[in-house]
Amino acid sequence: MIKMSKISIKKSIFLYNLIIVITLITLVAVIFNIAINIYFKNDIIQQLNKIANRTEETALKKGPDFFPPKEIKNPPPIPPEISNNIKIESNKTNDEIFRFYLMLDRSLREPLSVLNANYILLDLEKKIITPTQDEYFKPSKEVSNKILQELSKVKNIKKVEYLNFNLSGTNYIALIKQVSQKNTFGLGYIVIYSSLKKINQLQIGIYIILFIILIFSALIIIIPSSLSARKITKPFATLNQHIEDIAERNFGKKIEMPVYKELQEFVNSINIMSEKLEIYDKAQKTFLQNASHEFRTPLMSIQSYAEGIKYNVVETNSAVEVILSETKRMTQLVEDLLYLSRLEAIEENYHFQYINLDDLINNCINHLSGIALNNNITINYTTSSNNFLIRGDEEKLLRAFSNVLSNCIRYAESNVTIESKLTLNEKVKVTISDDGPGINEKDLPFIFERFYKGKKGNFGLGLAISKNIIEKHKGTIYANNSNKGAVFTIELPIK
């Protein structure tokens, strides 16, 4: 027994959409995170380079005006008479150096940047140059020590070097640019550094905005998806109710409701199934009524004559003849019913082989010639070819043709005519006609139904058996009336 999932279609659609939304959100978040990190990294490097270039330009251009040449290490003693002038010159020099650092500081501020950039000047021995004692231009001791510590780990400094480090929980990035070959006043390296605090805050803000957008998008997707799932599953509730009615043998109702195009064929199939079940149910009831009637008559005859023999009220020999005749009739009826049931069963085997149609019809005529002779009926057979080959079960086709032929013999006045010829659609057409009174127009639609019989009919099963066999051979059988009597037409595919 197949175990069906208890998850509803509505829930399945909702879960699938939820999984898709979560997957998309995750992918967007991951891809966006990678993209934004790459963007900020490249942008920070570009900004640092831009700031470093400006700072280098300022330092190299104005540096010779403020720093004494390196060759003058021990200047001669200053005469006392000009000591006052020296103080004035010293103050002037300090002012000039202040102006130099102010220019450098201004060069950091001019570029448009989210970096909080600062600088450190190093000599050729990687020591910090502090030509002024003004605290305004002195770098943070912790930062400068950390930069010098990280810088000491780099053995060979290229023209440009980048450092990333963490200090007191804050991430920093630094650019070290070598300028020793570009000046003669002792400036070895320019270090531009900045904390990434503003960058991190900006990233967090972007992530929050992205998260809000994704959540809002997810709600936009999930809510309509849930409503759509409800709308899709609504017809199934109606279909389920209709199928429950069919299970309760209420076949008359039809599903009449607007459905999706994909479900329309399914609904039509259910309506057709319900209609066919209704027809089959009526046929079954009719079958049981007719079968009970067919069995009741011979059983009553057998019972009556048996009681007559018991009480010596009828002649024994005549009673025995009637009992045997009714018994044979019941046996034939049971055999026909069983045969028809086997034909309708899936497991009934058909032994298909190529059969000569001319031989099959001649065998059928020989089989029924005795009955025709007793009824003074002549059977005439004509064919356009003796080489019609059909593929089928010979025993079953013989029975199908015999049932139709015997029916015509029963109603014919003097002649039964059989004719076979080729049709335009590569089929052989066999017509069996009689010169009897024909079939009542009201009976024509029902003569192939089981237990439906005319005035001279036996059980009403013969033509039903023939129809079943012919259709299993992918053929058709139908009846109509001509000017001379009834006409049965059988069409079968040929090789």
Side-chain angles (χ1 to χ4, degrees):
M1 184 177 179
I2 299 174
K3 293 184 178 180
M4 299 298 291
S5 175
K6 294 183 179 179
I7 300 177
S8 64
I9 296 176
K10 178 182 175 182
K11 190 174 181 182
S12 297
I13 294 173
F14 179 79
L15 288 176
Y16 290 149
N17 287 327
L18 185 62
I19 291 170
I20 291 171
V21 168
I22 292 173
T23 304
L24 288 176
I25 289 175
T26 305
L27 285 174
V28 169
V30 171
I31 294 171
F32 182 82
N33 182 56
I34 294 172
I36 202 72
N37 283 333
I38 293 173
Y39 171 79
F40 275 121
K41 182 179 178 180
N42 293 333
D43 189 63
I44 288 169
I45 290 173
Q46 289 177 3
Q47 291 186 35
L48 284 176
N49 282 319
K50 190 174 181 180
I51 294 170
N53 290 334
R54 285 178 171 271
T55 306
E56 178 187 359
E57 182 182 356
T58 303
L60 295 178
K61 185 177 180 181
K62 301 295 182 180
D65 298 335
F66 304 112
F67 290 93
K70 286 189 66 177
E71 290 78 10
I72 305 176
K73 294 183 179 179
N74 297 314
I78 302 173
E81 60 271 14
I82 58 172
S83 60
N84 291 331
N85 292 331
I86 292 174
K87 289 180 180 179
I88 294 171
E89 292 294 332
S90 176
N91 291 334
K92 183 179 179 181
T93 301
N94 286 336
D95 290 341
E96 292 296 329
I97 292 174
F98 182 86
R99 284 175 57 205
F100 173 74
Y101 275 85
L102 189 61
M103 288 179 184
L104 291 179
D105 192 63
R106 184 181 176 185
S107 67
L108 299 177
R109 311 297 175 226
E110 286 182 359
L112 182 61
S113 171
V114 293
L115 296 177
N116 185 18
N118 213 327
Y119 64 90
I120 299 176
L121 302 179
L122 302 177
D123 59 17
L124 295 174
E125 297 177 357
K126 300 180 183 178
K127 293 182 180 179
I128 298 175
I129 298 174
T130 55
T132 176
Q133 298 300 317
D134 199 307
E135 295 293 331
Y136 182 79
F137 297 108
K138 280 188 177 181
S140 169
K141 188 175 182 180
E142 292 181 354
V143 175
S144 58
N145 290 339
K146 184 68 175 178
I147 289 174
L148 293 176
Q149 181 183 349
E150 295 292 329
L151 192 59
S152 64
K153 298 178 183 178
V154 182
K155 295 181 179 180
N156 298 319
I157 299 179
K158 302 175 183 178
K159 291 184 178 180
V160 178
E161 197 76 38
Y162 297 96
L163 294 177
N164 290 283
F165 58 91
N166 186 282
L167 183 64
S168 302
T170 303
N171 292 324
Y172 285 82
I173 186 170
L175 181 148
I176 298 96
K177 197 163 188 177
Q178 186 178 10
V179 294
S180 58
Q181 298 176 352
K182 299 180 181 181
N183 70 93
T184 59
F185 54 86
L187 183 60
Y189 304 93
I190 295 176
V191 180
I192 306 296
Y193 68 92
S194 174
S195 71
L196 300 179
K197 188 174 182 180
K198 288 185 178 180
I199 299 292
N200 293 334
Q201 290 175 348
L202 181 60
Q203 281 185 301
I204 292 171
I206 292 173
Y207 289 147
I208 291 173
I209 294 172
L210 176 65
F211 180 75
I212 293 172
I213 292 172
L214 291 176
I215 293 297
F216 186 70
S217 302
L219 292 175
I220 291 176
I221 294 172
I222 290 174
I223 292 174
S225 173
S226 179
L227 295 174
S228 299
R230 184 181 300 175
K231 190 175 181 181
I232 290 171
T233 55
K234 187 177 180 180
F236 286 97
T238 305
L239 292 174
N240 184 56
Q241 182 61 46
H242 188 77
I243 291 171
E244 287 179 359
D245 291 338
I246 292 175
E248 297 295 329
R249 302 179 70 87
N250 298 323
F251 304 117
K253 296 180 181 178
K254 281 190 176 182
I255 304 173
E256 294 181 358
M257 64 175 183
V259 293
Y260 297 102
K261 185 178 179 181
E262 292 79 6
L263 283 177
Q264 188 61 55
E265 187 175 350
F266 179 61
V267 170
N268 292 339
S269 298
I270 292 179
N271 285 333
I272 292 170
M273 179 187 70
S274 178
E275 185 178 348
K276 288 186 176 181
L277 284 173
E278 184 179 15
I279 294 171
Y280 180 76
D281 187 61
K282 290 179 180 178
Q284 285 292 94
K285 291 176 180 177
T286 304
F287 167 76
L288 291 174
Q289 293 173 357
N290 293 336
S292 61
H293 175 74
E294 291 292 337
F295 280 110
R296 187 183 297 114
T297 302
L299 284 173
M300 289 178 63
S301 297
I302 293 171
Q303 182 181 359
S304 299
Y305 280 95
E307 289 176 352
I309 294 173
K310 179 180 179 181
Y311 296 109
N312 296 319
V313 295
V314 295
E315 187 180 349
T316 303
N317 291 332
S318 60
V320 169
E321 289 296 330
V322 173
I323 291 173
L324 290 175
S325 175
E326 294 297 332
T327 303
K328 289 179 182 178
R329 186 168 181 269
M330 286 184 61
T331 303
Q332 184 63 41
L333 175 59
V334 171
E335 287 179 356
D336 286 346
L337 283 172
L338 292 175
Y339 190 80
L340 184 59
S341 298
R342 288 201 309 271
L343 290 176
E344 292 178 344
I346 297 174
E347 62 271 10
E348 174 64 12
N349 294 322
Y350 278 74
H351 303 286
F352 286 93
Q353 59 184 345
Y354 286 107
I355 307 165
N356 186 290
L357 181 63
D358 186 63
D359 294 339
L360 179 69
I361 295 176
N362 284 323
N363 289 337
C364 181
I365 293 171
N366 293 332
H367 181 68
L368 296 172
S369 60
I371 299 174
L373 186 61
N374 290 335
N375 290 294
N376 297 319
I377 303 297
T378 302
I379 301 175
N380 300 309
Y381 172 47
T382 59
T383 179
S384 61
S385 174
N386 296 326
N387 297 317
F388 289 134
L389 290 180
I390 60 174
R391 190 171 181 273
D393 188 309
E394 186 174 4
E395 182 269 329
K396 292 182 175 61
L397 284 174
L398 183 63
R399 182 153 188 169
F401 278 91
S402 297
N403 288 343
V404 177
L405 183 57
S406 63
N407 186 83
C408 289
I409 291 173
R410 188 178 306 117
Y411 290 95
E413 295 290 339
S414 59
N415 292 299
V416 173
T417 302
I418 304 174
E419 182 182 359
S420 63
K421 61 180 179 180
L422 185 66
T423 63
L424 296 176
N425 55 353
E426 296 299 321
K427 290 184 177 181
V428 63
K429 180 179 181 181
V430 180
T431 57
I432 305 173
S433 58
D434 61 58
D435 59 351
I439 305 169
N440 192 311
E441 292 296 330
K442 295 181 180 179
D443 296 336
L444 272 175
F446 310 106
I447 61 171
F448 291 104
E449 291 184 7
R450 61 182 66 184
F451 287 112
Y452 195 89
K453 59 183 181 179
K455 296 179 180 179
K456 297 182 181 180
N458 289 332
F459 311 120
L461 293 175
L463 294 179
I465 291 172
S466 296
K467 183 175 185 293
N468 192 292
I469 293 172
I470 296 300
E471 288 180 349
K472 288 291 178 66
H473 285 78
K474 299 181 180 179
T476 57
I477 181 172
Y478 55 92
N480 56 5
N481 290 314
S482 67
N483 295 331
K484 298 179 180 180
V487 179
F488 290 86
T489 304
I490 301 171
E491 291 187 1
L492 290 168
I494 62 172
K495 181 179 177 182

